[in-house]
């Protein structure tokens, strides 16, 4: 993820570090190069425009031309703007309630079920007592897949009972509370496309469970298509974060920047491979640093 962007911006940063003087036209040329790099990385145009305006405004304000290390000043500005765009300060999940419910939403194939297992594993490593449940009322195979994953990461799978997804969710939470779980990760049904039935069901589940965290699982390979998907889910259920999957296969990374900026929903984790341990906390500042090389 961000490999190509990192290569290009890294080159720009390298050139800047070596510059003793930077005129306003040098700054413009640098901004043009940055703009190209971001567009090639599949970052949405309005997001690129915003980023460039921010950098330019701050660079002029910082009187880059007259500063002793002008290149460093621009790099620092770019770093901060990128980090802000990616969500600013890293935020931990709010798991203060017992049990806390983490609701996972997303389209089928985005990697939701795999991510539920990965997140469970990570939280167990942090000392939490975690359980998994799927409220996919129509696809028993989806519930079975999660049950197998629960076995792999050694956490209980709770089978919620009820005719509707919301009823299943309520029953699973009661069970999680009875068995002393700290966290219940609740996987919802996915669909091929965003449709009204899916949204109505997710809204109903969200209202029934009062989830502490509502995380949207997005396939980073969908690039800019991720944007309308994220916007629709966010409109139905106010998301508290998003998890980008398959970042190992995505060399561009534009989706992460675009989604974070356009919806204001920060990326909290990234999936970095098919294996259960291929999962990382997303830290905007560290990522901005990595992109700039
Ligand atoms: P769901 O339909 O959203 O529940 O999706 P699944 O969890 O079944 O995942 C769909 C496919 O994506 C599976 O083949 C997963 O192994 C794969 N997958 C999930 N996350 C990642 C990831 O971070 N990287 C890669 N390379 N594959 C992933």
């Amino acid at each position: 993820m961000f490999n190509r962007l990192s290569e290009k911006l890294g080159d720009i940063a390298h050139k800047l570090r070596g510059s003793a003087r930077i005129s306003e036209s040098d700054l413009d040329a640098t901004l043009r190069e940055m703009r190209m790099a971001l567009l090639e990385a599949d970052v949405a145009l309005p997001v690129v425009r915003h980023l460039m305006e921010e950098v330019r405004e701050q660079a002029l304000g910082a009187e880059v031309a007259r500063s002793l290390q002008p290149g460093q000043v621009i790099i620092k500005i770019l770093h901060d703007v990128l980090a802000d765009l990616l969500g600013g300060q890293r935020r931990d999940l709010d798991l203060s309630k017992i049990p806390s419910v983490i609701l996972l939403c997303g389209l089928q194939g985005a990697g939701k079920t795999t991510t539920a297992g990965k997140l469970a594993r990570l939280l167990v490593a942090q000392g939490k007592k975690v359980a998994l449940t799927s409220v996919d009322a129509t696809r028993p195979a989806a519930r079975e897949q999660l049950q197998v994953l629960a076995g792999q990461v050694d956490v209980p799978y709770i089978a919620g009972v009820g005719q509707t997804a919301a009823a299943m969710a309520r029953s699973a939470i009661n069970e999680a509370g009875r068995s002393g779980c700290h966290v219940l990760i609740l996987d919802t049904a996915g669909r091929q496309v965003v449709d009204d039935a899916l949204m109505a069901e997710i809204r109903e589940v969200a209202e029934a469970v009062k989830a502490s965290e509502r995380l949207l699982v997005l396939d980073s390979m969908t690039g800019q298509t991720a944007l309308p998907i994220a916007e629709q889910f966010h409109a139905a259920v106010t998301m508290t974060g998003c998890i980008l999957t398959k970042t190992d296969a995505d060399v561009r990374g534009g989706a992460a920047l675009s989604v974070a900026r356009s919806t204001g929903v920060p990326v909290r984790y990234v999936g970095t491979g098919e294996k259960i341990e291929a999962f990382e906390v997303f830290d905007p500042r560290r990522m901005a640093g990595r992109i700039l090389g």
Side-chain angles (χ1 to χ4, degrees):
M1 182 191 190
F2 291 130
N3 313 33
R4 225 173 274 167
L5 184 62
S6 170
E7 216 173 88
K8 292 267 165 65
L9 290 187
D11 279 351
I12 297 172
H14 182 73
K15 261 192 262 165
L16 284 171
R17 280 192 191 99
S19 319
R21 294 198 43 187
I22 294 178
S23 66
E24 205 173 320
S25 67
D26 292 337
L27 177 63
D28 283 337
T30 305
L31 287 176
R32 266 200 304 278
E33 277 181 57
M34 285 181 190
R35 184 185 154 88
M36 282 304 297
L38 289 161
L39 288 174
E40 277 172 28
D42 204 28
V43 180
L45 185 60
V47 178
V48 176
R49 280 207 189 109
H50 164 83
L51 185 72
M52 293 299 91
E53 267 164 35
E54 274 289 296
V55 174
R56 191 179 159 76
E57 209 168 281
Q58 289 194 30
L60 291 177
E63 297 203 41
V64 167
R66 269 188 274 159
S67 65
L68 284 175
Q69 291 180 301
Q72 291 293 9
V73 175
I74 297 183
I75 293 166
K76 165 90 174 57
I77 291 170
L78 185 60
H79 175 275
D80 292 350
V81 172
L82 265 177
D84 274 353
L85 203 66
L86 288 166
Q89 285 295 345
R90 183 171 73 82
R91 263 190 295 143
D92 289 329
L93 297 181
D94 174 10
L95 301 176
S96 48
K97 229 163 83 180
I98 294 190
S100 290
V101 177
I102 302 175
L103 184 76
L104 297 183
C105 310
L107 296 182
Q108 200 173 316
K112 221 159 22 69
T113 311
T114 314
T115 300
K118 288 176 171 182
L119 185 56
R121 182 180 172 276
L122 191 98
L123 295 175
V124 166
Q126 292 172 2
K128 302 278 185 205
K129 202 171 164 208
V130 183
L132 285 167
T133 191
S134 161
V135 297
D136 193 327
T138 51
R139 283 194 317 137
R143 302 200 294 273
E144 277 158 28
Q145 190 192 346
L146 190 62
Q147 205 163 354
V148 171
L149 268 169
Q152 273 176 27
V153 294
D154 205 17
V155 302
Y157 176 84
I158 297 178
V161 283
Q163 295 299 316
T164 63
M168 288 168 81
R170 266 192 295 266
S171 130
I173 293 170
N174 288 339
E175 178 55 30
R178 268 197 298 277
S179 56
C181 280
H182 302 137
V183 183
L184 177 67
I185 300 176
L186 200 152
D187 190 12
T188 55
R191 297 280 193 285
Q192 304 286 351
V193 288
V194 177
D195 62 27
D196 292 346
L198 169 70
M199 287 310 176
E201 182 185 280
I202 285 179
R203 210 175 296 134
E204 204 186 314
V205 172
E207 276 163 20
V209 301
K210 302 202 173 16
S212 305
E213 296 284 352
R214 297 168 297 280
L215 304 178
L216 176 63
V217 180
L218 273 177
D219 180 344
S220 62
M221 296 295 289
T222 51
Q224 290 205 26
T225 328
L227 246 182
I229 298 171
E231 278 164 1
Q232 288 177 65
F233 273 98
H234 193 41
V237 178
T238 313
M239 294 291 158
T240 58
C242 105
I243 300 178
L244 283 179
T245 62
K246 310 183 196 179
T247 59
D248 48 308
D250 170 31
V251 291
R252 302 193 291 178
L257 278 162
S258 307
V259 168
R261 164 73 197 163
S262 303
T263 57
V265 174
V267 180
R268 311 288 281 267
Y269 298 95
V270 286
T272 55
E274 285 189 85
K275 296 216 176 87
I276 201 86
E277 58 275 11
F279 193 62
E280 287 175 17
V281 172
F282 185 81
D283 184 333
R285 302 213 157 263
R286 221 179 44 210
M287 183 53 83
R290 230 196 266 174
I291 292 174
L292 292 174

